[in-house]
Amino acid sequence: MDRALKTINKETIRAYAKELWSRVPGNILSEDMGIDPRYSGIRMYDAPLVGFGSANDPLFQTYKAPDVIGPWHMSPNEWLPEAQTVISFFFPTSEEIRKSNRQEEQIASTLWAYARIEGQNYILAYTEAMAAWFREWGYEACVPSADPRWQQLTAGKGIEGYSEIQEDSFGSRWSERHAAYVCAMGTFGLSKGFITEKGMAGRFGSVLVSAALEPDPRPFTGIYDNCIHCLACVRRCPAKAIDPIHGKNHMICGAHITASRAVHAPRYGCGLCQTGVPCESQNPIRLKKA
Ligand code: SF4
Ligand code: SF4
């Protein structure tokens, strides 16, 4: 009997996700990454939260609207025609790395920059290992952010052929945060970060699979439901990139992140609006209700 017809379900996937987190190399900083040896041994990301969504969720068509992401955003079935399910993974940034960034006021901490670059390498390796596991079970799987078709759009450059692209257009052919919304992982915040049950400080990955799994129910209806509009991120932003009404200006934020290369090259980063704020490591709506 085909192995895929046997015993893969959301619980086995969640259990494997945790096992893989400790098994895939690259989550612990080590000298062979070319880092400052003082930081060797520090773990970048905690075990991931896992969410499931339908590859056919109508929101993926909504995301193609010019005022949402744009027509260049590819739906799950464009990445993988057999896709049935989107699985989103949120890796919360470890306390040690969040604490280091909390203490900064202008430029990201060195540890935060490591988590952005070396940490992203780890998450890519993790999601590719997860996709390989699904293939072993006999399913099709795709990791959009590791796919050669993945392209990033920054300040109007990076994806050609769409009349909607303007100088202030930012995005990519696959948005991890928008996929996370479909997968009931949380909602956006004023700073345009994404607030999960483990807060905003962290990074996402996702895998599209041909296995049909029940989507997680979304307990919210608005795209900002988890944001308490406390404006702490507005005050934390050294570039004044976050407007209390309209949220983050990508051009101003992008310029500040680029400027951080002067300190962190070849790395970069910021994330000051994700640390030292009520939504750093928890869902602030729960605090408010408590
Ligand atoms: S710091 Fe406050 S206003 Fe900003 S995203 Fe978090 S909860 Fe929303
Ligand atoms: S909005 Fe951009 S520049 Fe401002 S704190 Fe957040 S990441 Fe940094």
Side-chain angles (χ1 to χ4, degrees):
M1 186 174 158
D2 187 342
R3 197 182 174 197
L5 299 175
K6 289 187 187 171
T7 54
I8 198 163
N9 57 47
K10 286 164 59 169
E11 287 321 303
T12 56
I13 294 165
R14 284 199 162 99
Y16 187 69
K18 191 163 183 193
E19 182 194 331
L20 204 56
W21 163 71
S22 56
R23 190 144 54 76
V24 171
N27 193 22
I28 311 290
L29 289 168
S30 60
E31 287 188 44
D32 60 6
M33 295 173 176
I35 61 154
D36 183 330
R38 285 177 299 170
Y39 298 120
S40 186
I42 292 176
R43 189 179 71 211
M44 292 183 278
Y45 291 104
D46 296 341
L49 302 179
V50 185
F52 297 84
S54 169
N56 299 308
D57 193 304
L59 275 176
F60 285 114
Q61 286 310 311
T62 306
Y63 291 167
K64 287 177 176 289
D67 59 343
V68 183
I69 300 177
W72 50 84
H73 188 264
M74 290 167 61
S75 296
N77 293 113
E78 292 176 278
W79 290 102
L80 180 72
E82 304 85 353
Q84 296 281 337
T85 303
V86 179
I87 311 177
S88 174
F89 302 90
F90 176 70
F91 296 82
T93 308
S94 68
E95 162 62 18
E96 198 153 3
I97 290 185
R98 283 187 282 113
K99 184 177 165 195
S100 72
N101 217 43
R102 233 179 274 145
Q103 292 160 356
E104 300 296 337
E105 294 181 347
Q106 292 299 322
I107 298 284
S109 69
T110 300
L111 277 173
W112 188 270
Y114 291 158
R116 169 119 188 195
I117 305 303
E118 278 72 16
Q120 182 61 24
N121 292 341
Y122 162 73
I123 290 168
L124 274 180
Y126 177 98
T127 44
E128 290 196 284
M130 181 60 76
W133 183 66
F134 272 93
R135 292 187 195 108
E136 281 172 25
W137 278 95
Y139 294 105
E140 301 293 327
C142 172
V143 178
S145 56
D147 191 286
R149 292 170 293 171
W150 190 89
Q151 287 179 309
Q152 192 169 21
L153 178 61
T154 303
K157 297 187 180 66
I159 300 174
E160 291 180 357
Y162 292 94
S163 57
E164 295 87 343
I165 292 179
Q166 296 166 354
E167 196 186 329
D168 60 353
S169 296
F170 280 75
S172 66
R173 287 195 178 276
W174 179 250
S175 166
E176 298 292 358
R177 288 170 304 138
H178 287 78
Y181 186 84
V182 167
C183 296
M185 297 282 272
T187 78
F188 292 85
L190 178 68
S191 63
K192 298 288 189 334
F194 195 89
I195 306 174
T196 71
E197 290 303 310
K198 293 268 186 182
M200 181 185 282
R203 291 192 76 77
F204 286 95
S206 57
V207 182
L208 315 178
V209 296
S210 61
L213 300 154
E214 188 68 25
D216 290 339
R218 286 195 285 271
F220 34 77
T221 50
I223 59 172
Y224 295 108
D225 281 10
N226 287 349
C227 177
I228 57 173
H229 210 79
C230 63
L231 307 188
C233 53
V234 175
R235 294 187 289 275
R236 276 283 281 161
C237 178
K240 304 204 180 323
I242 308 172
D243 179 271
I245 307 291
H246 302 107
K248 183 167 83 171
N249 178 307
H250 289 285
M251 292 289 280
I252 300 173
C253 171
H256 185 77
I257 290 174
T258 299
S260 74
R261 289 178 187 271
V263 175
H264 293 307
R267 302 172 183 89
Y268 53 87
C270 178
L272 265 67
C273 57
Q274 298 181 21
T275 48
V277 293
C279 59
E280 175 185 308
S281 60
Q282 60 209 336
N283 183 348
I285 284 290
R286 308 256 175 265
L287 281 180
K288 219 175 164 187
K289 287 178 181 163

